[in-house]
Amino acid sequence: MNKKILITGGAGFIGSHVVRLFVNKYPEYTIYNLDVLTYAGNLENLRDVEKKSNYVFIKADITNENQINEIFDEFKFDSVIHLAAESHVDRSIKDPLAFARTNILGTMILLNAFNRLWSNNWSNKRFYHVSTDEVYGSLGLTGLFTEDTSYDPNSPYSASKASSDHFVRAYGETYGMPYVISNCSNNYGPNHFPEKLIPLFINNIINKKSLPVYGDGNYTRDWLYVIDHAIGIDTVFHNGANAETYNIGGFNEWKNIDLVKLLCSLMDTKLSREPGDSERLITYVKDRPGHDLRYAIDATKINKELGWCPTVTFEEGLAKTIDWYFDNKEWLNNVTSGEYQNYYKEYYN
Ligand code: NAD
Ligand code: TYD
């Protein structure tokens, strides 16, 4: 099959791993990476695939309707794998409208463009929307998010993602657009922008800066290695049933404070520092407003129906992640100079 696949947000953290996987695994497909290159988009993430003949980069903004329509008319993509988004909860608290614009309006503009192109011939077409478990809101101390859990988002980020999920379903119901959605837990791994917990703390430990743990640190997240998410996206894209949702997660829950202490001890070893050196950097700071207590995914459906399961344990994944940041100091320096310093001051000082 000769497919023309549009991947949006392919220069970002997860998107770059998805682009790499598809470009290398499917030489018969053409992979179009559409990205506007916000602070989170970085073409350095894709240096190893940029010269491949089945890879095309398109710099464009999903909120620009005319530009998106022209691009769809020109390239006539058979499928879309949509990852482009504003993705950081803390930023969404400061600037919710930016999240509504990109995550809701941007998704609708893509849905409209795809609908304009194919509404008379949906055969072999697919709109795949990549979403988050945060749409389900917060769990108490027990229970897991299943595909039937009601949406109950609490942050502007998760509300905007929930809204975009609803629009994707609505286009399926209303216009017959073939779609699939996956909702994944927290990712970690190489190329993660150092505003999210794990890469931020790796960078701060390297620089002996304080580690700002929100509230009492007893918040729980379910962590998945990013390449396992990319493999999950490949699986759902090719084998997921139409109009279905799949939850993706690694059954790997960690309280923030336990995860931070593990990271500190791995970093002490890596940096040949005294045990306990990094832990002394932990500083409890003001809590995030509306902070969700716990996320945890029940990934039984994707496992049973599509045979997906994580390939990397948390211990292996964290070690690989730390190694990557040490082997890519230039990447880290580039993304933490300039504008990042203003971000850091605004959010943490
Ligand atoms: P990211 O912030 O690292 O990357 C987002 C990418 O989208 C960037 O390359 C950015 O330049 C691009 N982008 C932003 N606005 C755009 C616009 N208007 N037009 C075109 N491109 C634009 O995000 P990520 O962590 O890689 O997340 C990717 C997707 O996966 C998001 O939809 C997110 O909601 C979802 N997700 C993320 C996680 C996670 O833990 N990071 C977990 C589950 C789901
Ligand atoms: P984050 O990586 O921002 O992902 P999300 O909010 O989407 O789950 O945060 C993960 C957890 O770590 C979350 O409970 C908030 C917490 N956290 C801190 O304690 N300090 C920080 O500086 C950051 C960025 C997050």
Side-chain angles (χ1 to χ4, degrees), residues 12-14 35-36 38 41 61-62 83 87 131 157 161 185 187:
F13 167 48
I14 301 170
D35 199 300
V36 77
T38 66
D61 185 343
I62 59 167
L83 294 106
S87 67
S131 193
Y157 164 65
K161 291 296 293 186
S185 62
N187 285 213

Side-chain angles (χ1 to χ4, degrees), residues 88-90 134 186 195-197 200-201 212-214 219 221 223 256 288 291 295 348:
H88 189 37
V89 173
D90 292 330
E134 303 192 25
N186 287 61
E195 62 183 353
K196 309 277 170 71
L197 181 73
L200 177 82
F201 279 28
V213 171
Y214 296 160
Y219 295 89
R221 296 292 182 265
W223 295 93
N256 291 343
R288 171 188 280 174
H291 198 166
Y295 304 143
Y348 290 100

Side-chain angles (χ1 to χ4, degrees), residues 8-17 33-43 45 57-64 67-68 82-88 98 101-103 106-107 110 129-134 157 160-161 164 182-188 191-193 195-196 222-224 226 229 233 248:
T8 69
F13 167 48
I14 301 170
S16 61
H17 290 280
N33 169 18
L34 185 152
D35 199 300
V36 77
L37 302 178
T38 66
Y39 76 93
N42 188 347
L43 290 177
N45 295 344
F57 175 66
I58 304 169
K59 185 169 191 294
D61 185 343
I62 59 167
T63 68
N64 182 333
Q67 191 183 28
I68 292 299
H82 175 38
L83 294 106
E86 289 294 336
S87 67
H88 189 37
R101 239 175 261 123
T102 300
N103 299 357
T107 301
L110 291 170
H129 182 58
V130 175
S131 193
T132 167
D133 61 354
E134 303 192 25
Y157 164 65
S160 68
K161 291 296 293 186
S164 62
S182 58
N183 296 83
C184 189
S185 62
N186 287 61
N187 285 213
Y188 70 99
N191 308 94
H192 206 181
F193 191 81
E195 62 183 353
K196 309 277 170 71
D222 180 357
W223 295 93
L224 182 70
V226 64
H229 187 193
I233 289 173
I248 307 182

Side-chain angles (χ1 to χ4, degrees), residues 94-243:
K94 281 251 156 84
D95 188 3
L97 276 180
F99 283 66
R101 239 175 261 123
T102 300
N103 299 357
I104 306 175
L105 183 64
T107 301
M108 292 186 68
I109 286 173
L110 291 170
L111 287 165
N112 261 351
F114 201 52
N115 195 36
R116 271 177 75 238
L117 208 53
W118 300 120
S119 60
N120 292 323
N121 174 19
W122 285 125
S123 138
N124 290 320
K125 311 294 185 306
R126 168 157 273 192
F127 191 102
Y128 180 177
H129 182 58
V130 175
S131 193
T132 167
D133 61 354
E134 303 192 25
V135 298
Y136 298 123
S138 183
L139 288 165
L141 294 177
T142 58
L144 298 173
F145 295 133
T146 73
E147 288 78 3
D148 296 324
T149 303
S150 301
Y151 276 32
D152 191 16
N154 293 312
S155 72
Y157 164 65
S158 54
S160 68
K161 291 296 293 186
S163 173
S164 62
D165 293 11
H166 289 318
F167 273 109
V168 174
R169 272 197 200 96
Y171 274 67
E173 289 295 322
T174 308
Y175 306 109
M177 182 182 290
Y179 75 91
V180 67
I181 299 175
S182 58
N183 296 83
C184 189
S185 62
N186 287 61
N187 285 213
Y188 70 99
N191 308 94
H192 206 181
F193 191 81
E195 62 183 353
K196 309 277 170 71
L197 181 73
I198 291 179
L200 177 82
F201 279 28
I202 290 175
N203 186 43
N204 283 12
I205 292 171
I206 292 173
N207 294 300
K208 297 191 176 169
K209 280 173 73 171
S210 71
L211 305 176
V213 171
Y214 296 160
D216 60 6
N218 283 319
Y219 295 89
T220 298
R221 296 292 182 265
D222 180 357
W223 295 93
L224 182 70
Y225 192 56
V226 64
I227 292 172
D228 278 326
H229 187 193
I231 295 169
I233 289 173
D234 179 18
T235 305
V236 170
F237 177 73
H238 285 98
N239 304 320
N242 184 42

